[in-house]
Amino acid sequence: MENKSYLGKIVISIFVLLTVCFFTFILLFIVAFSGNIHYIPLVIAAAVILYIGFVLVIFDVFYKNSKRVKIFWTIAGIVLVACTVQPVYKWFDDRVPTVDSEVNIYQYEPFTDKNKLVQLDKKPTLKLAEPLPKIDGATALYPLYAAITEHIYPEKEYNPYKSEVVVNQTHEAYTNLIFGNTDMIFAAGPSDSQINQAEQQGIKLHLTPIGKEAFVFFVNSKNNVNRLSLDQIKGIYAGEITNWEEVGGKDDAIRAFQRPQDSGSQTALQRLMGDTPLMEAPTEDIATGMGGIINEVSQYKNYKNAIGYTFRYYSNEMVKNKEIKLLEINGVAPTRETIRNNTYPIASEFYIVTAGEPTGNVKKLIEWVLSEEGQALVEKAGYVSLKSAE
C-alpha cells in the first residue's frame, strides 16, 4: 500500500509539473509579448518555487519539521527578492521622464488650420509649380522647411510622413537623399560615414549653408551646475571626468548620455571632441549590470545626475521641457543673440544638402531661401539667419 501511495504522489507531482509549466508558458508569452521581459526571471522563479514547495509538501518533507520549512522559505524569499530587483528598478526607471520628448509634428504641417508655422509680412516672390522638389530633413528643422513649403509650394496636403515634404531623423534623411528618395534635405552637416556612404554610391554631397544654430548641453533642473567649459565637456565625454563634484557640483557620478550614430547631434559631439577619444555610451540598466554597451540611446532620461545634448531650437522651441536647463559653455548662455554675435562657442551652420549641384526647382528653392525673403523667414521661425550672423 505504501508503494501505491508513493506512486500516486509521483503521478500527482508530474501532473502538477505539467500544469505549472503550461500556465507558466502562457504567462511568459504574455509578458514577452507586452515587452515586459524584465519580469521573466521573476515568473520562472515563482513557478519553480511553487512547484518545489508543492512536491515537498506532498512527500511530507516538511512534516513536523519547522526548521526545513524555515530554510526553504528563506531561500525562496532570497531568490524572489533577487528576481524582483530588475522589475522594481525598471518600474522606477520608467517613471523618470525622458527629455528628448516626442514632438507633435502635425502641429507644423503646412496648410493646416491653426498650425504653428510663421508667416512673412508679404507674399513671397517665388511660387513653385510641378515638379515639386521632394524635401526631407531633421525634426529640429521641420518648422523651418514646413514654413518654406507653406510660402512657396502650391496649397494642398503635405502629410509629414507621406508627401513631397516629410520629416525624419537626420540619419534617415541622409539615407533617403543618398539613395535618391528625396531631392534635398534640411540638416546638420553629414558624418564621415554618411560622406563615405554617398561616395560609395558615386554621389558628392553638396552643402548650402542657410542659417546658424547652437549645439547645447543640458542637465536636470535640480543640478546645481550651471556652466561648464569646453574642456570640461570633453573631459566628461572622454570618460576622464566622472563625478559632478569635479566640476563644482555635488558628489554624484555623471551619467553622460549619447545619441545614435550618424544622428545630427551625435555628429556634432564627435566634431566637438576632435582628436579626443569619445567614451562608449553608458549601459542603459546600471542597477542590473546585465550588460553590454548601449550604442543607440535614442532618448535621454532626466536623471538628476544626467547630462545630454541637442540643438537649441529643438530644446527651447519644440520640446520646452521645464525639467531641464541648458548649460552655459565657457560662461556664455546659448541664445539667438550669442549665436548671432559669435560669442557662444559651439554654434554651427545648418544646411540644405543635395546630391550634387542643385538644378531646376531645387536650385530655385535654395536661391529663395538665401534671398532676403528666405533669410527673413529663417529668422522669424526662430533660428539665426546667415545675414544676421554676419
Side-chain angles (χ1 to χ4, degrees):
M1 285 299 279
E2 197 172 312
N3 288 338
K4 288 184 179 179
S5 175
Y6 189 78
L7 184 61
K9 290 178 180 180
I10 292 176
V11 172
I12 292 172
S13 65
I14 292 174
F15 175 77
V16 171
L17 175 62
L18 294 174
T19 303
V20 170
C21 288
F22 175 75
F23 284 105
T24 301
F25 177 80
I26 292 175
L27 189 56
L28 288 174
F29 178 79
I30 293 172
V31 167
F33 186 77
S34 65
N36 296 313
I37 58 174
H38 43 279
Y39 283 101
I40 289 177
L42 180 60
V43 171
I44 295 174
V48 170
I49 289 170
L50 178 66
Y51 176 69
I52 292 176
F54 176 82
V55 170
L56 293 177
V57 168
I58 66 171
F59 281 94
D60 298 327
V61 175
F62 290 158
Y63 183 65
K64 293 182 179 180
N65 195 325
S66 59
K67 185 177 180 180
R68 290 178 180 175
V69 175
K70 290 179 180 179
I71 292 173
F72 173 78
W73 285 114
T74 299
I75 295 173
I78 293 172
V79 172
L80 288 174
V81 168
C83 292
T84 304
V85 170
Q86 188 176 4
V88 169
Y89 171 78
K90 182 66 176 175
W91 185 85
F92 280 108
D93 187 65
D94 286 342
R95 275 144 187 79
V96 178
T98 55
V99 174
D100 192 15
S101 312
E102 288 301 319
V103 174
N104 180 11
I105 288 298
Y106 287 97
Q107 64 188 346
Y108 299 101
E109 183 179 350
F111 300 111
T112 55
D113 292 338
K114 297 180 180 179
N115 66 31
K116 297 178 69 172
L117 300 179
V118 297
Q119 298 292 324
L120 292 173
D121 297 330
K122 58 182 180 180
K123 289 185 178 181
T125 55
L126 176 67
K127 276 290 183 181
L128 293 180
E130 299 287 352
L132 296 172
K134 294 180 181 178
I135 305 178
D136 198 348
T139 306
L141 291 171
Y142 182 65
L144 173 58
Y145 65 85
I148 292 170
T149 301
E150 190 165 274
H151 278 78
I152 66 176
Y153 274 42
E155 182 173 352
K156 62 175 184 176
E157 181 182 355
Y158 295 95
N159 185 292
Y161 299 105
K162 190 173 62 175
S163 69
E164 294 96 335
V165 182
V166 297
V167 60
N168 276 298
Q169 294 182 338
T170 300
H171 66 281
E172 292 171 336
Y174 268 102
T175 299
N176 284 336
L177 178 66
I178 291 168
F179 288 94
N181 298 322
T182 191
D183 298 312
M184 59 199 303
I185 65 172
F186 285 68
S191 65
D192 291 340
S193 64
Q194 286 161 340
I195 294 172
N196 292 334
Q197 186 182 33
E199 290 176 349
Q200 289 171 7
Q201 298 299 316
I203 292 169
K204 184 174 182 179
L205 298 175
H206 186 274
L207 280 62
T208 304
I210 60 170
K212 293 190 71 176
E213 179 58 308
F215 183 51
V216 299
F217 290 84
F218 58 80
V219 295
N220 188 289
S221 59
K222 295 179 181 178
N223 192 322
N224 65 335
V225 172
N226 296 312
R227 60 190 58 84
L228 292 171
S229 69
L230 279 176
D231 287 340
Q232 287 172 330
I233 289 287
K234 290 182 180 181
I236 288 171
Y237 278 93
E240 297 167 358
I241 298 175
T242 59
N243 195 295
W244 284 110
E245 196 172 38
E246 299 176 61
V247 290
K250 295 180 179 178
D251 181 14
D252 200 355
I254 297 175
R255 193 166 188 179
F257 279 98
Q258 295 185 40
R259 293 302 309 274
Q261 186 69 20
D262 294 332
S263 66
S265 54
Q266 185 69 5
T267 299
L269 177 65
Q270 291 166 343
R271 297 276 189 259
L272 175 65
M273 295 296 288
D275 295 330
T276 304
L278 179 63
M279 71 174 180
E280 293 178 313
T283 54
E284 184 182 28
D285 197 346
I286 291 177
T288 61
M290 288 182 65
I293 296 299
I294 303 302
N295 293 317
E296 294 192 356
V297 182
S298 60
Q299 289 187 320
Y300 302 112
K301 283 283 192 176
N302 195 24
Y303 301 105
K304 291 181 181 178
N305 64 336
I307 182 171
Y309 49 86
T310 186
F311 292 100
R312 178 202 61 87
Y313 184 90
Y314 185 80
S315 173
N316 284 7
E317 303 298 331
M318 298 181 77
V319 175
K320 297 181 179 179
N321 190 320
K322 295 181 180 179
E323 299 302 316
I324 63 169
K325 61 181 177 182
L326 303 188
L327 296 174
E328 295 179 5
I329 305 297
N330 289 353
V332 181
T335 66
R336 292 177 70 184
E337 290 67 32
T338 58
I339 299 170
R340 206 184 317 278
N341 62 26
N342 296 314
T343 56
Y344 183 72
I346 331 176
S348 60
E349 294 172 328
F350 57 90
Y351 307 91
I352 292 177
V353 187
T354 55
E357 291 282 345
T359 59
N361 278 344
V362 172
K363 185 177 181 180
K364 290 180 182 178
L365 187 152
I366 293 174
E367 289 174 345
W368 184 82
V369 174
L370 293 175
S371 71
E372 187 175 334
E373 287 180 358
Q375 288 294 290
L377 187 61
V378 170
E379 193 74 24
K380 198 166 186 179
Y383 305 86
V384 176
S385 68
L386 292 177
K387 295 186 183 301
S388 67
E390 290 176 352

